[in-house]
């Protein structure tokens, strides 16, 4: 069987939505959970468009809320597949908001969602390989690969760490933690 390649452009999605009072939290800003829900939707759309399959969220990398979003602003999310594994894809998402009256835009957050393609039985399913066609796409692919390697390294380190050793307990005591066990 011939290996299938797809361009990053085959995964690009843009979603814009006007922020309503019903989307706000108690401080009058748009609720972070609502923005996360939109991010999950666009990650699903991007990964499904690229793979041609139903996709599920496997993990979400750090989401830092850089700037608050106000009621009445237009929020735009842009997403594309940055990296592919055998059955998974890393979707990069950028969220901006725009004051419709002034035209001023601000970057609100960026994140990376790892999505896994599923077949009709719910099993993980292979995805097309990624064809990179610009230096920007190569940079995003390499950065995603570095994050994946760092995550694996961190997991291996955690597995080796003995939290109950006297050395680990002493380190915690030095961090101003009281231990009573």
């Amino acid at each position: 069987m011939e290996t299938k390649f797809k361009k990053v452009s085959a995964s690009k999605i843009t979603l814009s939505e006007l922020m309503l009072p019903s989307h706000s939290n108690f401080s009058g800003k748009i609720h972070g959970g609502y923005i996360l829900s939109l991010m999950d939707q666009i990650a699903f759309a991007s990964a499904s468009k690229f793979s041609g399959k139903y996709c599920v969220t496997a993990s979400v990398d750090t989401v830092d809320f850089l700037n608050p979003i106000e009621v009445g602003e237009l929020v735009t999310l842009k997403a594309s597949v940055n990296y592919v594994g055998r059955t998974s894809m890393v979707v990069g998402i950028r969220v901006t908001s725009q004051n419709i009256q002034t035209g001023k835009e601000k970057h609100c957050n960026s994140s990376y969602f790892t999505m896994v393609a599923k077949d009709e039985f719910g099993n993980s399913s292979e995805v097309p390989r990624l064809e990179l066609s610009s230096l920007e796409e190569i940079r995003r692919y390499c950065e995603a690969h570095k994050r994946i390697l760092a995550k694996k390294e961190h997991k291996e380190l955690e597995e080796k760490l003995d939290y109950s050793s006297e050395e680990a307990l002493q380190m915690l005591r030095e961090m101003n933690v009281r231990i009573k066990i």
Side-chain angles (χ1 to χ4, degrees):
M1 187 167 94
E2 187 180 321
T3 303
K4 185 175 182 180
F5 285 84
K6 278 191 166 181
K7 293 183 176 191
V8 172
S9 60
S11 71
K12 288 191 176 195
I13 299 277
T14 300
L15 171 71
S16 293
E17 187 172 323
L18 182 65
M19 293 296 104
L20 303 174
S22 60
H23 303 141
S24 66
N25 59 24
F26 293 114
S27 68
K29 308 296 182 198
I30 299 306
H31 196 284
Y34 185 72
I35 299 301
L36 285 170
S37 174
L38 292 175
M39 292 171 78
D40 193 50
Q41 288 175 43
I42 199 167
F44 167 82
S46 177
S48 294
K49 182 180 176 188
F50 180 80
S51 67
K53 306 196 178 189
Y54 177 77
C55 295
V56 296
T57 306
S59 71
V60 179
D61 278 7
T62 303
V63 179
D64 293 321
F65 292 93
L66 307 172
N67 288 295
I69 300 170
E70 308 290 336
V71 170
E73 289 185 332
L74 182 66
V75 168
T76 300
L77 297 90
K78 293 185 177 186
S80 64
V81 170
N82 291 352
Y83 178 92
V84 296
R86 193 177 65 77
T87 62
S88 65
M89 297 150 282
V90 175
V91 177
I93 303 168
R94 180 178 172 90
V95 181
T96 59
S97 69
Q98 180 183 32
N99 180 309
I100 294 175
Q101 294 169 328
T102 66
K104 183 180 178 191
E105 282 191 28
K106 58 189 173 188
H107 178 205
C108 299
N109 67 43
S110 294
S111 188
Y112 304 96
F113 280 52
T114 300
M115 308 298 289
V116 176
K118 298 290 186 174
D119 66 15
E120 60 274 9
F121 305 108
N123 300 311
S124 296
S125 181
E126 287 196 27
V127 298
R129 304 297 94 197
L130 196 57
E131 179 180 317
L132 305 174
S133 53
S134 74
L135 290 176
E136 179 67 12
E137 291 174 1
I138 292 169
R139 181 189 66 78
R140 288 180 180 180
Y141 183 92
C142 291
E143 286 181 359
H145 185 68
K146 283 194 294 189
R147 281 191 306 276
I148 290 166
L149 292 176
K151 209 185 236 184
K152 286 179 182 176
E153 193 175 293
H154 181 75
K155 186 176 180 179
E156 289 171 6
L157 183 64
E158 273 190 343
E159 288 171 356
K160 293 177 186 174
L161 186 60
D162 178 7
Y163 293 99
S164 63
S165 72
E166 189 52 43
E167 181 183 344
L169 295 173
Q170 183 57 37
M171 181 180 73
L172 289 171
R173 288 184 191 102
E174 291 170 5
M175 296 170 66
N176 296 319
V177 174
R178 181 182 299 166
I179 300 171
K180 288 185 165 186
I181 42 179

